[in-house]
Every structure is written in structure tokens, then in C-alpha cells.
Amino acid sequence: MGGPLTEYHSRLEEQEKEIKTLSAEIETLKSKELEPTARLDELRDENTKLNYRLNILKRSLQESPPAAALPRDSKAMLNINQRLQHVFGAAIRAAYPELERPPLAVTPSQQAKFGDYQCNSAMAMSQMLKAKDVKVNPREIAEKIVKNLPENELIEKTGIAGPGFVNVHLKRSFVSQLLSDLLVNGVQPPPLPKKKRVVVDFSSPNIAKEMHVGHLRSTIIGDSMSRLFEFLGYDVLRLNHVGDWGTQFGMLIAHLQDKFPDYLAVSPPISDLQGFYKESKKRFDNEEDFKKRAYRCVVRLQSKEPDFIKAWNLICDVSRKEFQRVYDCLDVKIIERGESFYQDMMTAVVKEFEERGFVELDEGRKIVFATGQSLPLTVVKSDGGYTYDTSDLAALRQRLFDEKADIIIYVTDSGQGSHFQVVFAAAQMIGWYDPGVTRVEHAGFGVVLGEDKKKFKTRSGDTVRLMDLLDEGLKRSMDKLKDKERDKVLSPEELEKAQRAVAFGCIKYADLSHNRINDYVFSFDKMLDDRGNTAAYLLYAFTRIRSIARLANIDEAALRKAAAETEVRLDHEKEWKLGKCILRFPEILQKITDDLLLHTLCDYLYELATTFTEFYDCCYCIEKDRQSGAVVTVNMWRMLLCDATAAVMAKGFDILGINPVSRM
């Protein structure tokens, strides 16, 4: 059996052989005498696929670190699952070299009696071999995999269960060392092969309209995704694609001219922009002269006449102040780059599609049918104006070519999924990006429901204003803290910090803890409940963990010294369970980076908190004198487990945008 380096060289040679084979096949295809029509199309299609696979393999060779170079000695937390996949991948390739891309399935074990992890590849491999007319029992396959396992630093022993599950038991010394590394280095992200540029488009309210509960999900989910990529070391651009352009500004400017004729000299005192919008809309619908003037205002705005640009800016500034109140409450940082930013780019986008022959005329409109899509994009209206389709194409092009984004994520409701599907298909058709190289994705989400399971509305049937919702959260969280008599223990400043932490933390967590694809029921009572998978429970649990060292009179310096000198013992089953749970954090981050489903992180934090409670109930961290209550013994390795738990929870909270406080 060779070490990890041998395993990597084997993988390297295998990939290089495949590259040579693919290159030879491409050259063969080029030199063939092509028959017309169907055969020609078939060969061209095959040629494209081979080139694509060749590029993927080349990129894999450039970016994939060798197994021996995994961050064992670096400050980064090691992804145990990923390391096991390297080990089992090498074993599978050695055992069955004839299988092309054999399945590799390594997962944490659900029951302690089956070890710590399981490799479940044997059954699927049996089916692959059967397709080649080779009948092999899955258990025999599992045995052969185990025999070919390379030497490694993390597996204590393996066992085969049932029809071919390979149960993996980790070395306790290995897990203990990883925990010590975590305590010394802190919670560090895995090393990036390349620092990629990520654009996250989220929140996106409309100017002159107040943010409502519908904007809550996009704002919270987009902020958390941005925090995730930032922690992992990516270069993240957070963009707010506000609706700040369009025909509605004609009626708003016309109404502004009537109501505040001196607006150019004196800033108009518009305190209720929503009311101002409703007034202008009513006039637009009922007054023909006003409607005509509104259309003329749109033309003059689009011509960028200074007075009209100033009026437009005044209206936008009032909205920005209202939006910022929400962002300050939710601790969200975002750069505004609205539809107006892309106006001057749209003509060039339409011209590019026309020059490539993708534009069709349809009753005066200019439309584009993207490959594989049944619905077209309208890039120019019959009156010569541009559309949301044109704006979104221009925005995507700017992000690809000017921002040079490697990853672009749009966080909007699922109802816009089909629209983005067509936009992305059109961008691929014209050659703006290759989905095998650049990741462009719509992260859709369901709607917020009231407790009656209908769309969340006020009692009068209006949409719920987001600021009203946040204010109600503050009121209810203070009531909750006073019910627990925290106002008698905390100073006024501590109480206010706890109020904000609970209110906004609970609102965010209630959203993020649900699968974003599904609708979810908004309930203050449930989200403020300190039992079950809620932010209230996790925040109280975190505060309790942090208080253990304080009660034992152990300061930060003593913990740091112990981390460097004290072995983290994992003899008790609850110590072992907690240690492994702490170290699963990198696996969770990898999963949510791949699928952008943040509820997985929430589920993990809840599992970590409940696993800690099991540990704390069974394993004494400090022992006190029964008479005096004085601390007699401090089991320092257990204090270190408390510290490691708190460190991972704190980082998880940070990714979710939740701000825990030291006292609650």
C-alpha cells in the first residue's frame, strides 16, 4: 500500500492518459472524411463534448491539490469527509481500474455502532460491473476496496456490514489532534486553489415603494450567502439591483413638480413616499392631462435633462434612507446598482444579438428565442423601448465581462425562475459564458405565509411593511426577556443588546432554518420559543457555553495556554460524539457552498447544541465543593471542548448574520 502521495501520482497519471486519449480522438475526428447532414452533426456534437471534457480534466489537474498536500499541517480545518473520499477513491481505482468514474459515496454514520463514517459505493459498483456482464457480490467488492486502502493517518479500523457497507472507525488520536489544531488556530476556512470573484444579487426593492415582507427573504438569504463566500475567502460583490428606472418615474416627477414647485431650490419634505406614490398613481389613472405630462417627463428623464435627473435623484434618496433603516437593523452591507446603471449598455446588447442573427421581429417587437427554450425574450418593445429582459441581459453581460465574475447568484422568489432560465440560456447561446467554467445560478425561494397558511398580509389585507415587522420583533423580544426576568439581571445597555440579538436573530433564523425552496409560515411565537430548533434556543445555549469558563474563573489567556499544552481526551462516548460533531463543520460548509441551501447549517448548529447538552449533562467540566460551592477541580480538556463548540457556533452565527451577545 502506498501513501497519499502515491495515490495522487496514480490519479495524475490516470488523468494524463485520459487527456492523451481524448486529444487523439479529437484529432481523429478532425481528419475523418465527413458525410453530410446527420453524420456531420453527430461528429460535431461528439467533438464539442470531447473538447469540453478535455478542458474539465485540464482544469482538474491545475486546481486539484494532491492528497498528501491536503491541509493537514495548515491552519485550515480539515474536511474529514473529503479526506476519506481521497482515501477510498484511491482504493476503488486500485481495486477496479477498469471502471470509468466509479461512484464514490462517503457519509457520516447515522448510528455509533456502525462506526463514524460509511463508504457505500459497493452496491452501485456492482451494478456497473453487471452492465459489463461481470457478476460480483457487493460484499466482495467492499472487501476488495478495504484491501486496497492506502496507508493513511485517520482510519483506525474498518468493517463490512450487510450487503457491502464499509464502516469506518476514526483514530481518536487523529480527531484529538484536529481539535487541538482548531483551538490553537481558530475556525479557519479551507485553502482556495484560486480566489474567485462572486457576485450576489439580492434584496432589490423598488424605488418609491417601501420594503415589505416579500423583500425579507431575499435580503436575509442573500446576505447569508455573501457571508459564506466571504468567510471562504472569495472576492464577493454584493449588489442591490433596485428598480430605479422606468415609466413610473414620469408620474412621480410630474406629481413632484405640482406638489413642490420649488423642489430644485428647496429639498421637498417627502416623509411618506408610499403615500406620495399612491397619490401620483391615482392621478395617472384618472387624469388624462397628467398622464400625458407623465409620459413627457419619462422622455425628458431618459434624455437626461439636468432638472429631471435632479428630481429623480431626490425621489431615489428618500427611498434609500428608508431602505437603509432596514439594512441597519439586519446588519446588511450592500452596494446599490439599480436598473439605471445598465441603461446605456442595452443598445449594445441588442446590437450584439442582431449581428449574430438571433433577433426576430414579432408584431413590431424584437424577440430572441434561446436554445432549448419555448418562450422568447423581448429585447425591444414595439414602441422602441427596452424591457426587463434587456436590462437583465445587460446586467449579466456587465457582471461577466466587466466584473469578471466566476460565480453569479441571483436571489429572488421562485416565480422568477423561468425568466432567469431563459436569460441564462440566451447568454450561453451567444457565447458569453460556459456553464462548465462559470457558475450562474438562480437561488429561488418560496413565499412567506401567515399562520393561516395564506400569503402574509395585515388584517386589512395590505402587504406587511418590513419596518413594522422588525419593530414588532423588537417589542416581542423585550417582552420575552422581561418574562424571563432578564431586566433584573442585565444592565439597560446589555438588555437592549440582548433585545436586538433575539429579535433580529430570531427573524433571520426562522427564515434560514427552512429550506429556501419551500414556503414558510411566519410566527413570532414559534421563532421566539426557546425550545427546539430556533435562534432563541441556540442563543441561550451559546451564552450558557460561554459562561462555563467564566464561572470557573478561567480567562482567555488560560484557555489559549491549555489549548497549546493540553491533550483533548475523548474517552467518554459523549466526548467522542461532541468532538466528531465539531469537526463536521467544514463538511457542512462544503455542502451549502455546492447547493446554497442554508438550512443545512441551521440543522447542524442545532445538532451541535443538543450534542453539547448531552456531553455537559454526562461529563463534569468543573467540580464544586458541595458545602461551599467553591470550584475544586477543573477538567481542562473538557473546558477545551466547550471552547471549541463555542468557536464553531460563533462562526456559524456569523455566516447566518446572527449577532450573539455575551450575556442574555
Side-chain angles (χ1 to χ4, degrees):
M1 293 194 299
L5 194 58
T6 307
E7 172 205 331
Y8 179 67
H9 280 307
S10 168
R11 179 174 164 224
L12 194 68
E13 286 170 10
E14 191 177 311
Q15 288 190 337
E16 284 177 344
K17 279 179 192 172
E18 191 171 351
I19 286 173
K20 285 178 184 174
T21 305
L22 289 170
S23 298
E25 285 185 44
I26 288 171
E27 291 306 315
T28 303
L29 285 169
K30 284 179 181 174
S31 64
K32 281 183 180 178
E33 287 186 12
L34 303 180
E35 297 171 11
T37 61
R39 181 64 182 145
L40 177 61
D41 290 341
E42 182 187 332
L43 287 171
R44 279 180 173 160
D45 185 51
E46 191 177 346
N47 188 284
T48 302
K49 287 177 182 175
L50 286 169
N51 268 307
Y52 176 71
R53 176 71 185 143
L54 181 62
N55 288 330
I56 292 289
L57 283 165
K58 283 178 178 174
R59 239 185 15 260
S60 173
L61 284 169
Q62 288 167 359
E63 296 185 0
S64 296
L70 285 169
R72 181 67 187 90
D73 299 318
S74 77
K75 292 185 176 182
M77 287 184 75
L78 180 73
N79 185 328
I80 295 175
N81 192 307
Q82 202 172 66
R83 180 72 188 104
L84 285 170
Q85 286 186 38
H86 276 78
V87 171
F88 275 92
I92 289 169
R93 287 192 297 274
Y96 293 94
E98 70 274 21
L99 286 181
E100 185 181 354
R101 290 190 291 280
L104 182 57
V106 178
T107 58
S109 293
Q110 298 302 308
Q111 296 181 51
K113 66 181 179 180
F114 295 130
D116 307 311
Y117 285 82
Q118 280 185 336
C119 176
N120 304 328
S121 299
M123 279 72 75
M125 288 172 65
S126 174
Q127 292 301 312
M128 286 183 77
L129 288 165
K130 188 176 179 182
K132 293 176 176 280
D133 293 325
V134 180
K135 291 188 178 180
V136 188
N137 187 299
R139 195 174 177 91
E140 290 176 39
I141 295 172
E143 288 169 355
K144 196 170 179 183
I145 292 170
V146 169
K147 282 178 185 173
N148 281 277
L149 283 171
E151 289 178 9
N152 61 83
E153 75 283 25
L154 72 166
I155 298 176
E156 178 71 40
K157 64 177 182 178
T158 58
I160 298 171
F165 300 111
V166 180
N167 295 331
V168 179
H169 297 260
L170 299 176
K171 290 179 181 175
R172 299 207 173 208
S173 58
F174 173 76
V175 172
S176 174
Q177 184 58 52
L178 289 183
L179 289 165
S180 293
D181 293 345
L182 162 63
L183 288 158
V184 170
N185 299 319
V187 183
Q188 301 293 334
L192 283 177
K194 174 192 169 190
K195 187 167 185 174
K196 293 184 177 181
R197 175 81 154 161
V198 180
V199 173
V200 185
D201 176 329
F202 67 102
S203 193
S204 307
N206 288 313
I207 295 291
K209 294 183 181 179
E210 288 179 301
M211 290 180 76
H212 55 76
V213 71
H215 296 112
L216 182 68
R217 298 207 77 181
S218 178
T219 304
I220 289 172
I221 294 167
D223 176 58
S224 186
M225 286 180 184
S226 300
R227 288 169 179 268
L228 169 67
F229 283 107
E230 285 160 355
F231 170 64
L232 293 173
Y234 292 86
D235 176 18
V236 179
L237 177 61
R238 300 152 161 258
L239 290 184
N240 198 0
H241 190 82
V242 297
D244 66 351
W245 204 252
T247 54
Q248 76 271 26
F249 281 94
M251 67 182 192
L252 288 165
I253 292 171
H255 191 52
L256 181 74
Q257 291 171 336
D258 292 346
K259 197 163 184 179
F260 303 102
D262 59 347
Y263 73 91
L264 290 171
V266 181
S267 185
I270 305 173
S271 56
D272 180 10
L273 193 56
Q274 185 84 355
F276 187 85
Y277 179 88
K278 286 179 179 177
E279 288 171 12
S280 66
K281 183 72 170 70
K282 186 177 179 182
R283 292 186 67 191
F284 185 84
D285 291 340
N286 298 318
E287 300 175 25
E288 194 59 35
D289 287 345
F290 180 82
K291 180 185 264 190
K292 288 176 183 176
R293 191 153 56 89
Y295 280 128
R296 289 197 297 271
C297 287
V298 173
V299 173
R300 297 180 76 177
L301 174 64
Q302 290 175 341
S303 301
K304 298 190 177 176
E305 292 187 24
D307 289 358
F308 288 82
I309 289 293
K310 181 167 184 179
W312 172 72
N313 273 321
L314 284 170
I315 293 164
C316 290
D317 284 342
V318 176
S319 274
R320 286 187 191 110
K321 287 173 186 172
E322 285 301 306
F323 297 162
Q324 197 56 48
R325 286 180 64 205
V326 171
Y327 298 141
D328 288 344
C329 284
L330 296 174
D331 190 24
V332 170
K333 305 289 188 292
I334 192 166
I335 294 169
E336 182 185 310
R337 192 177 287 175
E339 292 168 10
S340 60
F341 181 84
Y342 305 100
Q343 290 305 300
D344 295 341
M345 305 174 195
M346 294 192 207
T347 303
V349 165
V350 174
K351 186 180 178 185
E352 187 176 348
F353 274 91
E354 285 179 326
E355 288 174 349
R356 295 287 300 278
F358 292 130
V359 173
E360 299 176 24
L361 286 174
D362 178 64
E363 297 182 353
R365 298 182 306 152
K366 291 183 179 181
I367 62 172
V368 172
F369 275 98
T371 306
Q373 303 298 315
S374 57
L375 294 174
L377 294 171
T378 299
V379 292
V380 181
K381 293 186 292 185
S382 56
D383 63 3
Y386 296 129
T387 67
Y388 286 121
D389 294 346
T390 333
S391 175
D392 283 338
L393 284 169
L396 179 54
R397 193 185 192 287
Q398 192 274 338
R399 292 162 187 180
L400 288 166
F401 292 100
D402 296 353
E403 299 300 341
K404 294 179 170 51
D406 300 290
I407 301 171
I408 305 174
I409 299 166
Y410 292 80
V411 186
T412 73
D413 66 90
S414 296
Q416 296 187 50
S418 57
H419 163 71
F420 281 113
Q421 187 178 336
V422 182
V423 170
F424 300 162
Q428 290 169 46
M429 178 179 72
I430 203 168
W432 288 353
Y433 77 97
D434 177 351
V437 178
T438 305
R439 179 181 181 184
V440 180
E441 190 168 340
H442 175 235
F445 53 81
V447 299
V448 182
L449 304 176
E451 293 189 70
D452 58 359
K453 305 289 174 70
K454 295 178 182 176
K455 212 166 183 180
F456 197 27
K457 302 272 189 184
T458 63
R459 286 181 181 176
S460 61
D462 294 331
T463 304
V464 178
R465 291 177 65 245
L466 193 43
M467 206 60 230
D468 290 346
L469 192 79
L470 298 176
D471 287 341
E472 178 69 13
L474 285 170
K475 178 183 175 300
R476 292 198 183 216
S477 67
M478 182 59 81
D479 292 344
K480 184 80 175 178
L481 289 163
K482 286 181 176 179
D483 285 347
K484 296 172 82 69
E485 299 188 336
R486 302 310 296 163
D487 54 322
K488 296 177 182 176
V489 179
L490 303 175
S491 69
E493 186 182 352
E494 288 174 330
L495 186 63
E496 186 183 345
K497 282 184 179 178
Q499 176 194 25
R500 293 180 72 83
V502 171
F504 303 140
C506 286
I507 288 170
K508 287 183 179 186
Y509 192 85
D511 190 315
L512 296 169
S513 61
H514 290 84
N515 187 324
R516 65 171 164 78
I517 296 167
N518 300 331
D519 299 342
Y520 90 97
V521 175
F522 189 98
S523 166
F524 273 121
D525 290 339
K526 285 181 182 176
M527 66 178 65
L528 290 167
D529 194 340
D530 52 14
R531 298 162 297 177
N533 188 6
T534 66
Y537 168 77
L538 289 175
L539 287 166
Y540 287 124
F542 179 79
T543 304
R544 177 189 177 200
I545 295 167
R546 280 289 194 216
S547 70
I548 295 167
R550 188 173 67 246
L551 294 172
N553 296 318
I554 300 171
D555 61 17
E556 191 69 22
L559 280 170
R560 298 284 70 78
K561 186 172 184 292
E565 298 173 357
T566 305
E567 178 191 358
V568 181
R569 286 160 49 187
L570 302 166
D571 301 327
H572 194 285
E573 63 170 326
K574 299 300 182 184
E575 294 170 338
W576 179 237
K577 184 179 179 182
L578 178 60
K580 289 186 297 175
C581 189
I582 292 167
L583 294 176
R584 277 193 23 242
F585 188 55
E587 299 172 26
I588 301 300
L589 296 186
Q590 181 62 56
K591 185 178 185 306
I592 61 176
T593 304
D594 291 342
D595 62 22
L596 302 177
L597 296 173
L598 293 155
H599 69 278
T600 304
L601 176 57
C602 298
D603 292 344
Y604 166 75
L605 290 175
Y606 180 61
E607 181 188 346
L608 182 58
T610 54
T611 302
F612 177 84
T613 300
E614 290 177 23
F615 153 79
Y616 192 70
D617 289 345
C618 296
C619 304
Y620 292 118
C621 297
I622 54 176
E623 296 177 41
K624 296 182 178 180
D625 183 276
R626 291 190 178 181
Q627 260 69 42
S628 65
V631 175
V632 176
T633 306
V634 175
N635 295 319
M636 190 54 81
W637 78 93
R638 288 176 177 165
M639 295 301 299
L640 292 175
L641 278 170
C642 296
D643 196 40
T645 303
V648 168
M649 286 187 75
K651 183 48 65 181
F653 284 147
D654 187 54
I655 291 169
L656 297 174
I658 294 171
N659 299 314
V661 290
S662 56
R663 298 189 69 199
M664 278 183 65

